[in-house]
Amino acid sequence: ERDEVRWDLTTQRLLERGDFPVSHGRIPLRLALTALHESCREAMGTGIADTLRDGRDRQMDLRLAGAGEERWISVTLRRPLHARGSAALVAGTVTDITDRVRIVRQLAASREDVRRYVHGLDAAIEDQRRHIARELHDELGQRLTALKIDLH
């Protein structure tokens, strides 16, 4: 599903806006662009400008603004074949990737937990080795001293 838009590269805003309902888990490109988080507007503008300039497809993961739960989208930008001569036409596909971003973050947190656990386990093993080495040293020293006393 593609939706064509006009984007002002100077203001990082859509030139046209409308009321675009979300349906079937798909987000219309216009709606996504109007709802971009402020920190992602420049990246979107750069992606659009680059797509217009060289005609190559672009894929970006971007955050949406709004109250409540953080939302993320994956945007693929293309210059439609019929627009190769047009300087300001970009088509795009937008997919909600909020669940994927959440899972990736949970996985990263889980990996960090495992890393900390392994670090703690390594430290405990090293402490145990030192303890055993001290005990062996002390025990061996005592036996050698006793042996030396018995020999004299």
Side-chain angles (χ1 to χ4, degrees):
E1 178 178 326
R2 291 188 180 156
D3 188 11
E4 295 176 351
V5 297
R6 295 195 183 274
W7 182 265
D8 185 325
L9 296 173
T10 305
T11 64
Q12 305 294 328
R13 299 270 192 262
L14 282 175
L15 294 176
E16 304 168 17
R17 290 188 180 199
D19 184 22
F20 305 98
V22 176
S23 61
H24 308 296
R26 293 287 226 199
I27 302 170
L29 183 58
R30 287 181 194 218
L31 178 62
L33 294 179
T34 59
L36 277 180
H37 189 269
E38 203 57 42
S39 64
C40 295
R41 289 187 179 278
E42 186 176 340
M44 177 58 102
T46 301
I48 290 172
D50 291 347
T51 299
L52 289 171
R53 186 185 69 251
D54 62 21
R56 292 186 15 213
D57 293 355
R58 299 282 187 292
Q59 189 279 324
M60 297 175 282
D61 294 346
L62 303 167
R63 183 175 160 200
L64 296 179
E69 181 186 6
E70 182 178 67
R71 304 297 295 178
W72 287 85
I73 57 173
S74 178
V75 177
T76 303
L77 300 172
R78 293 179 185 80
R79 283 193 59 194
L81 291 176
H82 67 277
R84 294 293 178 197
S86 173
L89 194 59
V90 174
T93 305
V94 178
T95 306
D96 186 345
I97 60 166
T98 302
D99 289 339
R100 184 181 81 190
V101 169
R102 181 182 45 77
I103 289 167
V104 166
R105 285 180 176 172
Q106 288 173 344
L107 181 58
S110 176
R111 283 183 179 151
E112 181 59 25
D113 290 346
V114 168
R115 189 197 65 73
R116 280 195 306 270
Y117 175 75
V118 168
H119 179 72
L121 189 57
D122 286 344
I125 289 170
E126 191 55 38
D127 287 346
Q128 191 64 28
R129 284 181 181 150
R130 279 194 294 273
H131 176 74
I132 290 171
R134 269 193 303 269
E135 288 211 6
L136 285 173
H137 179 268
D138 292 349
E139 182 69 26
L140 184 60
Q142 287 174 6
R143 288 186 184 223
L144 285 174
T145 301
L147 200 70
K148 187 176 179 183
I149 291 173
D150 284 346
L151 290 175
H152 291 323

